[in-house]
Amino acid sequence: MKFTLSRSLVVLALAASSASYAADYPTKTITMIVPFAAGGPTDTIARLLAQAIGTNLKQQVIVENVGGAGGTIAAARVARSAPDGYTIFIHHVGHSTAPSLYRKLNYNSIDSFEPIGLATDAASTLIARKDFPAKDINELLSYLKANKEKVTLANAGIGAASHLCGMLFMSAIGTDLTTVPYKGTGPAMNDLLGGQVDLMCDQVTNTMSHIKSGKVKAYAVTYKNPVATLPDLPPLASAGLTGFELSVWHGLYAPKGTPKEIVTKLSSALQAALKDPTVKQRLADLSTDPVAENRATPDALRSHLKAEIDKWGPIIKKAGVYAE
Ligand code: ASP
């Protein structure tokens, strides 16, 4: 209740002094909320962007990890935050799947936020602990048929991209595995590396270095074609598994009611960050693509988010997976 009141007061105050407030913005540290635990792809992308956006705006942007429930806990918190430009939010494709996956959300993925812009796109990879028996995707499919009750599949919570990918995978092979939810890919990957869990489908951003160093086994990628950095990794569709054109896109948002001039400043800072040579190089190293400048805009993110909500809704409904 206290939260709601302070949010309303901020909205009123901003409406009264919007122009001068926005002209001076930012005058203090900005917090970027990350909806997953530290150490995963969203956290990595967030930290890179936070640094570069902060340099551009001449103010520090700090990252706060608010993991749990596939990103929906963080989204609800941002939706209730003061729309003053000092709380911003990064989220991925999960922001578009949550409305279909959750029977009840106490925010609206579109109406509770001001889109700032799209940021990155990345493929996902289906991986296993290093000593998992199957050596390629075909062996994996046979192994899962025979041993499904023994196999565990990690994800970063219901609503996470890894959950979506795992769900599509199980539905495509017609086999239910035991899923193990974490608060983000960071802790899930630790358990996979430690051999406590068997499989995971997660962004190449986080998996590539482990695939290249042989610390995990990789079976397939979720793009139509192989990704340039892992040319030997076949698309899941090549093993006859359809419905896998999954791109894990990330976007930046502010709470609804954040003044337009501030959103424009943040959007310009995002565009500058994506052109920053250090950011570009680091993203290239992680096989993660920065979006073109015209997609790092509020309009592009708004229409992409709507299109993705429409795309995933029927697929999730067909798979019959819901969270309470
Ligand atoms: N990659 C995770 C997911 O499955 C989240 C994270 O970035 O930690 O959505």
Side-chain angles (χ1 to χ4, degrees):
M1 193 56 194
K2 204 170 154 221
F3 227 91
T4 315
L5 187 62
S6 78
R7 193 188 130 82
S8 321
L9 287 176
V10 171
V11 173
L12 285 176
L14 286 178
S17 64
S18 175
S20 62
Y21 182 86
D24 293 342
Y25 173 86
T27 57
K28 60 178 187 187
T29 299
I30 298 167
T31 300
M32 185 186 287
I33 304 285
V34 172
F36 297 102
T42 308
D43 181 63
T44 303
I45 294 167
R47 283 172 200 275
L48 265 177
L49 293 178
Q51 168 90 40
I53 290 173
T55 305
N56 187 271
L57 293 175
K58 301 190 176 56
Q59 274 296 340
Q60 210 191 359
V61 180
I62 56 163
V63 162
E64 186 180 339
N65 298 88
V66 182
T72 57
I73 292 175
R77 169 156 153 199
V78 173
R80 293 193 312 267
S81 297
D84 57 4
Y86 293 100
T87 300
I88 58 175
F89 183 42
I90 183 166
H91 201 352
H92 60 27
V93 56
H95 200 49
S96 70
T97 56
S100 307
L101 281 168
Y102 281 82
R103 289 188 203 275
K104 195 175 169 295
L105 285 177
N106 47 7
Y107 63 88
N108 180 295
S109 287
I110 297 175
D111 298 342
S112 305
F113 301 88
E114 303 289 349
I116 294 170
L118 283 155
T120 52
D121 287 306
S124 274
T125 50
L126 181 63
I127 58 171
R129 63 179 159 81
K130 192 179 165 182
D131 51 356
F132 195 72
K135 79 170 183 308
D136 60 26
I137 181 71
N138 292 317
E139 272 194 29
L140 174 69
L141 299 184
S142 322
Y143 183 86
L144 294 181
K145 276 214 169 78
N147 300 281
K148 62 173 185 195
E149 61 294 333
K150 286 203 282 199
V151 180
T152 50
L153 173 66
N155 67 46
I158 293 179
S162 45
H163 169 252
L164 177 65
C165 187
M167 192 185 84
L168 293 174
F169 179 64
M170 291 189 293
S171 141
I173 63 173
T175 304
D176 277 340
L177 307 171
T178 305
T179 55
V180 186
Y182 292 83
K183 284 193 172 174
T185 297
M189 182 61 92
N190 284 343
D191 271 11
L192 195 91
L193 292 170
Q196 282 93 359
V197 68
D198 297 319
L199 294 174
M200 177 162 68
C201 182
D202 202 71
Q203 286 109 283
V204 67
T205 314
N206 194 251
T207 62
M208 196 180 59
S209 65
H210 301 304
I211 295 173
K212 288 210 153 153
S213 66
K215 285 193 188 141
V216 300
K217 256 184 196 167
Y219 297 111
V221 68
T222 63
Y223 274 180
K224 224 191 219 152
N225 298 307
V227 291
T229 39
L230 296 165
D232 299 331
L233 205 57
L236 271 164
S238 73
L241 303 176
T242 52
F244 272 105
E245 273 150 46
L246 172 61
S247 164
V248 183
W249 53 270
H250 278 84
L252 254 56
Y253 306 82
K256 186 75 182 177
T258 304
K260 193 168 184 295
E261 299 86 336
I262 289 180
V263 173
T264 305
K265 279 192 181 182
L266 287 163
S267 188
S268 305
L270 169 64
Q271 288 157 17
L274 294 172
K275 281 191 280 185
D276 177 292
T278 316
V279 173
K280 277 172 79 174
Q281 185 56 54
R282 183 84 181 105
L283 287 176
D285 293 343
L286 299 168
S287 203
T288 297
D289 302 318
V291 299
E293 189 169 343
N294 65 353
R295 293 181 73 219
T297 60
D299 284 349
L301 176 53
R302 190 176 295 107
S303 48
H304 188 68
L305 176 64
K306 283 187 180 154
E308 287 280 287
I309 290 175
D310 292 346
K311 170 182 155 180
W312 289 114
I315 298 174
I316 290 166
K317 202 167 174 198
K318 193 165 161 229
V321 187
Y322 298 101
E324 292 309 323

PDB file of all heavy atoms in Angstrom, residues 114-142:
ATOM      1  N   GLU A 114       6.827   1.110 -19.749  1.00  0.00           N
ATOM      2  CA  GLU A 114       7.157   1.950 -20.911  1.00  0.00           C
ATOM      3  C   GLU A 114       8.334   1.253 -21.588  1.00  0.00           C
ATOM      4  O   GLU A 114       9.407   1.140 -20.991  1.00  0.00           O
ATOM      5  CB  GLU A 114       7.615   3.356 -20.478  1.00  0.00           C
ATOM      6  CG  GLU A 114       6.650   4.136 -19.628  1.00  0.00           C
ATOM      7  CD  GLU A 114       5.424   4.628 -20.390  1.00  0.00           C
ATOM      8  OE1 GLU A 114       5.416   4.550 -21.636  1.00  0.00           O
ATOM      9  OE2 GLU A 114       4.481   5.075 -19.731  1.00  0.00           O
ATOM     10  N   PRO A 115       8.170   0.785 -22.819  1.00  0.00           N
ATOM     11  CA  PRO A 115       9.309   0.162 -23.496  1.00  0.00           C
ATOM     12  C   PRO A 115      10.391   1.193 -23.807  1.00  0.00           C
ATOM     13  O   PRO A 115      10.081   2.330 -24.164  1.00  0.00           O
ATOM     14  CB  PRO A 115       8.701  -0.403 -24.781  1.00  0.00           C
ATOM     15  CG  PRO A 115       7.375   0.230 -24.932  1.00  0.00           C
ATOM     16  CD  PRO A 115       6.941   0.770 -23.611  1.00  0.00           C
ATOM     17  N   ILE A 116      11.642   0.799 -23.643  1.00  0.00           N
ATOM     18  CA  ILE A 116      12.778   1.674 -23.969  1.00  0.00           C
ATOM     19  C   ILE A 116      13.380   1.238 -25.311  1.00  0.00           C
ATOM     20  O   ILE A 116      13.626   2.053 -26.189  1.00  0.00           O
ATOM     21  CB  ILE A 116      13.839   1.628 -22.842  1.00  0.00           C
ATOM     22  CG1 ILE A 116      13.254   2.230 -21.552  1.00  0.00           C
ATOM     23  CG2 ILE A 116      15.111   2.369 -23.266  1.00  0.00           C
ATOM     24  CD1 ILE A 116      14.124   2.026 -20.314  1.00  0.00           C
ATOM     25  N   GLY A 117      13.572  -0.057 -25.460  1.00  0.00           N
ATOM     26  CA  GLY A 117      14.078  -0.548 -26.743  1.00  0.00           C
ATOM     27  C   GLY A 117      14.528  -1.986 -26.644  1.00  0.00           C
ATOM     28  O   GLY A 117      14.818  -2.489 -25.560  1.00  0.00           O
ATOM     29  N   LEU A 118      14.581  -2.649 -27.803  1.00  0.00           N
ATOM     30  CA  LEU A 118      15.166  -3.991 -27.857  1.00  0.00           C
ATOM     31  C   LEU A 118      16.673  -3.860 -27.704  1.00  0.00           C
ATOM     32  O   LEU A 118      17.252  -2.812 -28.024  1.00  0.00           O
ATOM     33  CB  LEU A 118      14.831  -4.657 -29.195  1.00  0.00           C
ATOM     34  CG  LEU A 118      13.404  -5.193 -29.294  1.00  0.00           C
ATOM     35  CD1 LEU A 118      12.955  -5.273 -30.752  1.00  0.00           C
ATOM     36  CD2 LEU A 118      13.318  -6.571 -28.640  1.00  0.00           C
ATOM     37  N   ALA A 119      17.322  -4.910 -27.233  1.00  0.00           N
ATOM     38  CA  ALA A 119      18.764  -4.825 -27.007  1.00  0.00           C
ATOM     39  C   ALA A 119      19.533  -5.901 -27.775  1.00  0.00           C
ATOM     40  O   ALA A 119      20.430  -5.587 -28.562  1.00  0.00           O
ATOM     41  CB  ALA A 119      19.064  -4.918 -25.511  1.00  0.00           C
ATOM     42  N   THR A 120      19.197  -7.164 -27.544  1.00  0.00           N
ATOM     43  CA  THR A 120      20.005  -8.252 -28.119  1.00  0.00           C
ATOM     44  C   THR A 120      19.126  -9.437 -28.550  1.00  0.00           C
ATOM     45  O   THR A 120      17.984  -9.564 -28.108  1.00  0.00           O
ATOM     46  CB  THR A 120      20.994  -8.810 -27.062  1.00  0.00           C
ATOM     47  OG1 THR A 120      20.264  -9.146 -25.886  1.00  0.00           O
ATOM     48  CG2 THR A 120      22.072  -7.812 -26.713  1.00  0.00           C
ATOM     49  N   ASP A 121      19.711 -10.277 -29.379  1.00  0.00           N
ATOM     50  CA  ASP A 121      19.089 -11.546 -29.772  1.00  0.00           C
ATOM     51  C   ASP A 121      20.129 -12.645 -29.587  1.00  0.00           C
ATOM     52  O   ASP A 121      21.302 -12.434 -29.911  1.00  0.00           O
ATOM     53  CB  ASP A 121      18.753 -11.546 -31.279  1.00  0.00           C
ATOM     54  CG  ASP A 121      17.579 -10.656 -31.612  1.00  0.00           C
ATOM     55  OD1 ASP A 121      16.516 -10.836 -30.998  1.00  0.00           O
ATOM     56  OD2 ASP A 121      17.729  -9.797 -32.501  1.00  0.00           O
ATOM     57  N   ALA A 122      19.700 -13.819 -29.116  1.00  0.00           N
ATOM     58  CA  ALA A 122      20.640 -14.952 -29.012  1.00  0.00           C
ATOM     59  C   ALA A 122      19.895 -16.263 -29.212  1.00  0.00           C
ATOM     60  O   ALA A 122      18.715 -16.385 -28.870  1.00  0.00           O
ATOM     61  CB  ALA A 122      21.325 -14.959 -27.650  1.00  0.00           C
ATOM     62  N   ALA A 123      20.597 -17.234 -29.751  1.00  0.00           N
ATOM     63  CA  ALA A 123      20.040 -18.584 -29.884  1.00  0.00           C
ATOM     64  C   ALA A 123      20.150 -19.291 -28.543  1.00  0.00           C
ATOM     65  O   ALA A 123      20.922 -18.878 -27.670  1.00  0.00           O
ATOM     66  CB  ALA A 123      20.838 -19.364 -30.921  1.00  0.00           C
ATOM     67  N   SER A 124      19.383 -20.356 -28.377  1.00  0.00           N
ATOM     68  CA  SER A 124      19.577 -21.233 -27.219  1.00  0.00           C
ATOM     69  C   SER A 124      20.235 -22.522 -27.670  1.00  0.00           C
ATOM     70  O   SER A 124      20.203 -22.858 -28.860  1.00  0.00           O
ATOM     71  CB  SER A 124      18.243 -21.538 -26.535  1.00  0.00           C
ATOM     72  OG  SER A 124      17.951 -20.523 -25.613  1.00  0.00           O
ATOM     73  N   THR A 125      20.820 -23.225 -26.722  1.00  0.00           N
ATOM     74  CA  THR A 125      21.519 -24.479 -27.024  1.00  0.00           C
ATOM     75  C   THR A 125      21.030 -25.544 -26.061  1.00  0.00           C
ATOM     76  O   THR A 125      20.812 -25.267 -24.876  1.00  0.00           O
ATOM     77  CB  THR A 125      23.040 -24.293 -26.838  1.00  0.00           C
ATOM     78  OG1 THR A 125      23.259 -23.707 -25.559  1.00  0.00           O
ATOM     79  CG2 THR A 125      23.632 -23.412 -27.906  1.00  0.00           C
ATOM     80  N   LEU A 126      20.877 -26.753 -26.580  1.00  0.00           N
ATOM     81  CA  LEU A 126      20.493 -27.876 -25.719  1.00  0.00           C
ATOM     82  C   LEU A 126      21.781 -28.548 -25.261  1.00  0.00           C
ATOM     83  O   LEU A 126      22.559 -29.030 -26.098  1.00  0.00           O
ATOM     84  CB  LEU A 126      19.614 -28.847 -26.512  1.00  0.00           C
ATOM     85  CG  LEU A 126      19.111 -30.066 -25.738  1.00  0.00           C
ATOM     86  CD1 LEU A 126      18.205 -29.657 -24.572  1.00  0.00           C
ATOM     87  CD2 LEU A 126      18.354 -31.017 -26.670  1.00  0.00           C
ATOM     88  N   ILE A 127      22.012 -28.537 -23.951  1.00  0.00           N
ATOM     89  CA  ILE A 127      23.289 -29.041 -23.422  1.00  0.00           C
ATOM     90  C   ILE A 127      23.045 -30.062 -22.300  1.00  0.00           C
ATOM     91  O   ILE A 127      21.940 -30.155 -21.750  1.00  0.00           O
ATOM     92  CB  ILE A 127      24.164 -27.883 -22.885  1.00  0.00           C
ATOM     93  CG1 ILE A 127      23.417 -27.095 -21.780  1.00  0.00           C
ATOM     94  CG2 ILE A 127      24.591 -26.940 -23.997  1.00  0.00           C
ATOM     95  CD1 ILE A 127      24.284 -26.093 -21.049  1.00  0.00           C
ATOM     96  N   ALA A 128      24.107 -30.790 -21.969  1.00  0.00           N
ATOM     97  CA  ALA A 128      24.023 -31.773 -20.876  1.00  0.00           C
ATOM     98  C   ALA A 128      25.302 -31.722 -20.053  1.00  0.00           C
ATOM     99  O   ALA A 128      26.327 -31.196 -20.510  1.00  0.00           O
ATOM    100  CB  ALA A 128      23.865 -33.177 -21.442  1.00  0.00           C
ATOM    101  N   ARG A 129      25.231 -32.303 -18.871  1.00  0.00           N
ATOM    102  CA  ARG A 129      26.457 -32.435 -18.076  1.00  0.00           C
ATOM    103  C   ARG A 129      27.458 -33.231 -18.909  1.00  0.00           C
ATOM    104  O   ARG A 129      27.070 -34.072 -19.745  1.00  0.00           O
ATOM    105  CB  ARG A 129      26.162 -33.086 -16.722  1.00  0.00           C
ATOM    106  CG  ARG A 129      25.638 -34.492 -16.796  1.00  0.00           C
ATOM    107  CD  ARG A 129      25.387 -35.058 -15.397  1.00  0.00           C
ATOM    108  NE  ARG A 129      24.453 -36.164 -15.452  1.00  0.00           N
ATOM    109  CZ  ARG A 129      24.767 -37.419 -15.773  1.00  0.00           C
ATOM    110  NH1 ARG A 129      26.016 -37.734 -16.054  1.00  0.00           N
ATOM    111  NH2 ARG A 129      23.839 -38.360 -15.815  1.00  0.00           N
ATOM    112  N   LYS A 130      28.736 -32.971 -18.629  1.00  0.00           N
ATOM    113  CA  LYS A 130      29.835 -33.484 -19.431  1.00  0.00           C
ATOM    114  C   LYS A 130      29.792 -35.010 -19.648  1.00  0.00           C
ATOM    115  O   LYS A 130      30.075 -35.530 -20.721  1.00  0.00           O
ATOM    116  CB  LYS A 130      31.116 -33.112 -18.678  1.00  0.00           C
ATOM    117  CG  LYS A 130      32.377 -33.278 -19.395  1.00  0.00           C
ATOM    118  CD  LYS A 130      33.479 -32.836 -18.460  1.00  0.00           C
ATOM    119  CE  LYS A 130      34.810 -33.335 -19.000  1.00  0.00           C
ATOM    120  NZ  LYS A 130      35.905 -32.998 -18.130  1.00  0.00           N
ATOM    121  N   ASP A 131      29.418 -35.751 -18.581  1.00  0.00           N
ATOM    122  CA  ASP A 131      29.479 -37.210 -18.682  1.00  0.00           C
ATOM    123  C   ASP A 131      28.109 -37.840 -18.963  1.00  0.00           C
ATOM    124  O   ASP A 131      27.894 -39.016 -18.719  1.00  0.00           O
ATOM    125  CB  ASP A 131      30.069 -37.792 -17.384  1.00  0.00           C
ATOM    126  CG  ASP A 131      29.359 -37.257 -16.144  1.00  0.00           C
ATOM    127  OD1 ASP A 131      28.467 -36.388 -16.300  1.00  0.00           O
ATOM    128  OD2 ASP A 131      29.685 -37.693 -15.034  1.00  0.00           O
ATOM    129  N   PHE A 132      27.200 -37.030 -19.516  1.00  0.00           N
ATOM    130  CA  PHE A 132      25.883 -37.587 -19.861  1.00  0.00           C
ATOM    131  C   PHE A 132      26.077 -38.592 -20.999  1.00  0.00           C
ATOM    132  O   PHE A 132      26.842 -38.342 -21.924  1.00  0.00           O
ATOM    133  CB  PHE A 132      24.924 -36.459 -20.273  1.00  0.00           C
ATOM    134  CG  PHE A 132      23.493 -36.869 -20.308  1.00  0.00           C
ATOM    135  CD1 PHE A 132      22.806 -37.102 -19.135  1.00  0.00           C
ATOM    136  CD2 PHE A 132      22.830 -37.055 -21.517  1.00  0.00           C
ATOM    137  CE1 PHE A 132      21.471 -37.512 -19.156  1.00  0.00           C
ATOM    138  CE2 PHE A 132      21.502 -37.449 -21.552  1.00  0.00           C
ATOM    139  CZ  PHE A 132      20.829 -37.673 -20.365  1.00  0.00           C
ATOM    140  N   PRO A 133      25.384 -39.763 -20.944  1.00  0.00           N
ATOM    141  CA  PRO A 133      25.672 -40.848 -21.887  1.00  0.00           C
ATOM    142  C   PRO A 133      25.579 -40.528 -23.391  1.00  0.00           C
ATOM    143  O   PRO A 133      26.433 -40.963 -24.142  1.00  0.00           O
ATOM    144  CB  PRO A 133      24.641 -41.918 -21.508  1.00  0.00           C
ATOM    145  CG  PRO A 133      24.173 -41.577 -20.146  1.00  0.00           C
ATOM    146  CD  PRO A 133      24.402 -40.127 -19.920  1.00  0.00           C
ATOM    147  N   ALA A 134      24.544 -39.786 -23.833  1.00  0.00           N
ATOM    148  CA  ALA A 134      24.349 -39.644 -25.286  1.00  0.00           C
ATOM    149  C   ALA A 134      25.395 -38.737 -25.931  1.00  0.00           C
ATOM    150  O   ALA A 134      25.690 -37.679 -25.401  1.00  0.00           O
ATOM    151  CB  ALA A 134      22.956 -39.089 -25.531  1.00  0.00           C
ATOM    152  N   LYS A 135      25.891 -39.144 -27.121  1.00  0.00           N
ATOM    153  CA  LYS A 135      26.946 -38.302 -27.701  1.00  0.00           C
ATOM    154  C   LYS A 135      26.447 -37.305 -28.764  1.00  0.00           C
ATOM    155  O   LYS A 135      27.136 -36.343 -29.055  1.00  0.00           O
ATOM    156  CB  LYS A 135      28.114 -39.156 -28.212  1.00  0.00           C
ATOM    157  CG  LYS A 135      27.918 -39.819 -29.543  1.00  0.00           C
ATOM    158  CD  LYS A 135      29.256 -40.428 -30.033  1.00  0.00           C
ATOM    159  CE  LYS A 135      29.132 -41.047 -31.396  1.00  0.00           C
ATOM    160  NZ  LYS A 135      28.024 -42.030 -31.534  1.00  0.00           N
ATOM    161  N   ASP A 136      25.269 -37.541 -29.343  1.00  0.00           N
ATOM    162  CA  ASP A 136      24.730 -36.541 -30.276  1.00  0.00           C
ATOM    163  C   ASP A 136      23.200 -36.505 -30.126  1.00  0.00           C
ATOM    164  O   ASP A 136      22.628 -37.262 -29.331  1.00  0.00           O
ATOM    165  CB  ASP A 136      25.161 -36.827 -31.723  1.00  0.00           C
ATOM    166  CG  ASP A 136      24.686 -38.196 -32.204  1.00  0.00           C
ATOM    167  OD1 ASP A 136      23.670 -38.693 -31.670  1.00  0.00           O
ATOM    168  OD2 ASP A 136      25.334 -38.782 -33.087  1.00  0.00           O
ATOM    169  N   ILE A 137      22.571 -35.638 -30.905  1.00  0.00           N
ATOM    170  CA  ILE A 137      21.136 -35.412 -30.715  1.00  0.00           C
ATOM    171  C   ILE A 137      20.319 -36.693 -30.955  1.00  0.00           C
ATOM    172  O   ILE A 137      19.374 -36.979 -30.219  1.00  0.00           O
ATOM    173  CB  ILE A 137      20.625 -34.217 -31.587  1.00  0.00           C
ATOM    174  CG1 ILE A 137      19.131 -33.938 -31.378  1.00  0.00           C
ATOM    175  CG2 ILE A 137      20.935 -34.376 -33.054  1.00  0.00           C
ATOM    176  CD1 ILE A 137      18.766 -33.342 -30.071  1.00  0.00           C
ATOM    177  N   ASN A 138      20.712 -37.497 -31.931  1.00  0.00           N
ATOM    178  CA  ASN A 138      19.931 -38.718 -32.190  1.00  0.00           C
ATOM    179  C   ASN A 138      20.061 -39.715 -31.050  1.00  0.00           C
ATOM    180  O   ASN A 138      19.068 -40.301 -30.610  1.00  0.00           O
ATOM    181  CB  ASN A 138      20.323 -39.327 -33.536  1.00  0.00           C
ATOM    182  CG  ASN A 138      19.871 -38.412 -34.667  1.00  0.00           C
ATOM    183  OD1 ASN A 138      18.750 -37.889 -34.639  1.00  0.00           O
ATOM    184  ND2 ASN A 138      20.746 -38.156 -35.618  1.00  0.00           N
ATOM    185  N   GLU A 139      21.289 -39.855 -30.552  1.00  0.00           N
ATOM    186  CA  GLU A 139      21.475 -40.740 -29.385  1.00  0.00           C
ATOM    187  C   GLU A 139      20.706 -40.199 -28.176  1.00  0.00           C
ATOM    188  O   GLU A 139      20.152 -40.960 -27.383  1.00  0.00           O
ATOM    189  CB  GLU A 139      22.966 -40.809 -29.013  1.00  0.00           C
ATOM    190  CG  GLU A 139      23.701 -41.901 -29.755  1.00  0.00           C
ATOM    191  CD  GLU A 139      25.074 -42.192 -29.151  1.00  0.00           C
ATOM    192  OE1 GLU A 139      25.291 -42.014 -27.923  1.00  0.00           O
ATOM    193  OE2 GLU A 139      25.932 -42.587 -29.931  1.00  0.00           O
ATOM    194  N   LEU A 140      20.700 -38.884 -28.054  1.00  0.00           N
ATOM    195  CA  LEU A 140      19.991 -38.274 -26.919  1.00  0.00           C
ATOM    196  C   LEU A 140      18.504 -38.638 -26.971  1.00  0.00           C
ATOM    197  O   LEU A 140      17.905 -39.040 -25.962  1.00  0.00           O
ATOM    198  CB  LEU A 140      20.154 -36.741 -26.937  1.00  0.00           C
ATOM    199  CG  LEU A 140      19.344 -35.994 -25.880  1.00  0.00           C
ATOM    200  CD1 LEU A 140      19.888 -36.261 -24.473  1.00  0.00           C
ATOM    201  CD2 LEU A 140      19.332 -34.481 -26.133  1.00  0.00           C
ATOM    202  N   LEU A 141      17.914 -38.529 -28.170  1.00  0.00           N
ATOM    203  CA  LEU A 141      16.484 -38.814 -28.290  1.00  0.00           C
ATOM    204  C   LEU A 141      16.178 -40.271 -27.927  1.00  0.00           C
ATOM    205  O   LEU A 141      15.217 -40.545 -27.201  1.00  0.00           O
ATOM    206  CB  LEU A 141      15.980 -38.469 -29.697  1.00  0.00           C
ATOM    207  CG  LEU A 141      16.144 -36.988 -30.101  1.00  0.00           C
ATOM    208  CD1 LEU A 141      15.524 -36.722 -31.458  1.00  0.00           C
ATOM    209  CD2 LEU A 141      15.551 -36.044 -29.066  1.00  0.00           C
ATOM    210  N   SER A 142      17.027 -41.196 -28.379  1.00  0.00           N
ATOM    211  CA  SER A 142      16.794 -42.611 -28.021  1.00  0.00           C
ATOM    212  C   SER A 142      16.981 -42.821 -26.528  1.00  0.00           C
ATOM    213  O   SER A 142      16.199 -43.523 -25.866  1.00  0.00           O
ATOM    214  CB  SER A 142      17.758 -43.559 -28.735  1.00  0.00           C
ATOM    215  OG  SER A 142      17.993 -43.159 -30.021  1.00  0.00           O
TER     216      SER A 142
END
